[in-house]
Structures are given as C-alpha cells and as structure tokens.
Amino acid sequence: MKTRAITAFFFGTAMLASLLLGETVFLTFYFFLSMATLFEYFRLVGSEQYAPQLPSGIVLGTLLFRIFSSIAQGSLEYKLLALCIPVVILIYIVELYRKTEKPFQNIALTILGPVYVVVPFGLYLCLAFLDGTFNFQYPLGLLLLIWANDTGAYVFGVKFGKNRLFERHSPKKSWEGFFGGLFITLVAAGILSQYFTELNLNNWLIVGLIASVAGTFGDLTESMLKRSLNTKDSGGLLPGHGGLLDRFDSLFFAAPLVYFYLLFF
C-alpha cells in the first residue's frame, strides 16, 4: 500500500504538472506517455503465438498522435492522414515476408495497438482545445473524476463488496464498488462545477456519469485483454499499480465519449 501511494503521488504530480505548465509541455508529455504505453501494449501481446510488428505499430501510432495534435490545435494536416494509408498497407506487405504462423492475427494486433492506445490519448488532447485555445480545465476535470471513481470503487468495494460485477473478467470488482465509485464521482463533479466554471453543474454531472460508467467498461476491457493473455499486470513500470495500460484503461473509454459529448452537446 505504501509503494502504491508513493507511485500515485509522484506520477499524479507529473500528470498535473503537464497540464498546468502549458500547451507545449502538455503535448510533449502525452506524446512520450502514449508511445511508452503503446510499447507496453506490444510487449504484452507479443508471445510465442503472436508477433505483432512493433516498428510499424510505433510509426502508425506516431502518425496518429501527430494527426490528433494538429486537430486539437485547429489545423488538421491532411498529408499526415493520407500517410497512414501506405503505412497500413506496408504492415500487410511486411507480414507476407515474415513467415509467421498467424499473419492476420499479427496484422490485427499491430493495427489494434495504435487504435486502442493512441486514439484515446489523442482525443484526450483535443479536450484541452475545445474552446479553440489551450484550456486545462476539461482534461484536468476528467482526470480528477476518473481518479475519484477509481478511489470510490476501491474503497466501497473493499468495505462492502459482495456481489460480483463481472466475475468472468474481473473477479474482484463488485456492484457495491461500482455504485460507490459513481457516487464519489458525482460528488467530485459537483465540487468541480464550483471551480471549473467552463461547464455548469448539469454538464459536469453528465461528464462524471460518463467517466464512471465508461471508465468501468474500459477497466473491464483491459482486464479481458490481460485474462486472454494469462497475465496479471500489463507491465511493471509503476510499482504498486502495474503498468501504464493498467493506469489508463479507464481513460481509454472515458476520454473519447466525454469529448464526443462536449463537442456535440
């Protein structure tokens, strides 16, 4: 527990600093974070059975990140978008020459990595530029709500958890933890609305609801991935927390849906 708390403090501080120190630091930090998470994904899914293409996946991930950062800053670079086409085709061509036993599974895993990891981080970036200029309130608010949900779900789950939420993929999660996390998230959303006034109370409550529900499904999906690979943690970079995928699984589903909600509603 002590190791977990220390890791959470220092990593949380780094993430908060990346938001508060301005646009350049924010974009740079999340580029390296997304690439490190993508690298962890390829290490996780690689095995004797499957051999996804790490170099091709990193190149595609880098292109996607650059595309989303340009969208966030209001100047979509169409040439970068077009460049994804030959990169994807190259993934197929490379697999022709690799002589692996499961080529199409390798292709699928290679393309899935950037989509699963980089696209959500890219949409999280876009949250910071929803008003046309850099504004840390939206991404920071979402981050705090995800943390509130994780904390509430853990505390209520440990204290009251009896009824399993989705035992097939995550035996420890309970309905009591889910509703406890949702309750704490909505309370946090109400508090945020008093300080982050870019959104009113109702909108923050809806963002909190999305963060809690979507974050839970994101967590369950990553658990399904790990269970299919017979592993407990996605990595060991964060002592007490596992890997980066373990840390950001909630954000992978929450950030795209929150961005969709704020963009259209």
Side-chain angles (χ1 to χ4, degrees):
M1 182 62 72
K2 182 179 179 181
T3 301
R4 182 182 178 90
I6 293 172
T7 301
F9 173 78
F10 283 105
F11 192 66
T13 300
M15 293 186 66
L16 292 174
S18 73
L19 282 162
L20 300 176
L21 291 177
E23 176 181 331
T24 302
V25 174
F26 177 66
L27 293 173
T28 302
F29 177 83
Y30 275 92
F31 170 72
F32 286 108
L33 182 61
S34 62
M35 291 302 106
T37 309
L38 185 57
F39 182 78
E40 182 180 274
Y41 162 85
F42 281 114
R43 284 191 59 196
L44 179 66
V45 300
S47 65
E48 293 181 359
Q49 285 185 306
Y50 306 117
Q53 301 173 32
L54 173 62
S56 300
I58 295 295
V59 170
L60 182 59
T62 301
L63 280 173
L64 286 174
F65 186 90
R66 186 66 189 89
I67 288 166
F68 277 105
S69 64
S70 70
I71 292 172
Q73 295 172 298
S75 58
L76 173 59
E77 297 186 12
Y78 291 96
K79 290 183 179 180
L80 285 176
L81 189 60
L83 190 56
C84 290
I85 297 171
V87 171
V88 171
I89 292 174
L90 184 62
I91 292 172
Y92 284 84
I93 294 173
V94 167
E95 203 62 39
L96 285 171
Y97 292 92
R98 294 180 77 201
K99 298 179 181 179
T100 56
E101 293 183 2
K102 298 183 177 181
F104 272 88
Q105 287 89 333
N106 295 337
I107 291 168
L109 288 171
T110 301
I111 297 173
L112 174 64
V115 173
Y116 179 54
V117 173
V118 180
V119 170
F121 274 130
L123 291 170
Y124 181 72
L125 290 183
C126 291
L127 280 174
F129 296 88
L130 268 175
D131 295 333
T133 57
F134 179 73
N135 184 344
F136 68 85
Q137 288 194 13
Y138 300 129
L140 178 56
L142 175 58
L143 202 62
L144 293 174
L145 291 174
I146 289 173
W147 289 349
N149 184 66
D150 289 347
T151 302
Y154 176 78
V155 171
F156 278 79
V158 169
K159 188 73 174 177
F160 305 108
K162 293 181 180 179
N163 300 290
R164 298 302 99 186
L165 176 64
F166 213 123
E167 192 166 8
R168 182 158 57 94
H169 293 306
S170 188
K172 293 184 179 179
K173 286 184 173 54
S174 65
W175 280 104
E176 291 82 2
F178 169 75
F179 285 113
L182 177 60
F183 171 73
I184 296 299
T185 304
L186 294 178
V187 170
I191 295 171
L192 279 177
S193 69
Q194 302 300 308
Y195 297 95
F196 290 2
T197 55
E198 296 292 337
L199 296 178
N200 60 30
L201 173 61
N202 288 338
N203 279 316
W204 273 119
L205 289 175
I206 293 172
V207 170
L209 177 65
I210 295 171
S212 180
V213 176
T216 300
F217 277 109
D219 194 332
L220 288 169
T221 299
E222 203 250 348
S223 295
M224 178 173 64
L225 172 64
K226 291 187 296 184
R227 187 165 288 272
S228 69
L229 297 169
N230 295 314
T231 185
K232 183 178 183 294
D233 295 321
S234 65
L237 185 62
L238 303 174
H241 291 266
L244 293 169
L245 287 169
D246 296 319
R247 186 68 272 173
F248 292 104
D249 50 11
S250 296
L251 184 139
F252 289 162
F253 280 22
L257 291 177
V258 168
Y259 177 73
F260 175 82
Y261 169 73
L262 292 180
L263 186 64
F264 290 98
F265 299 102

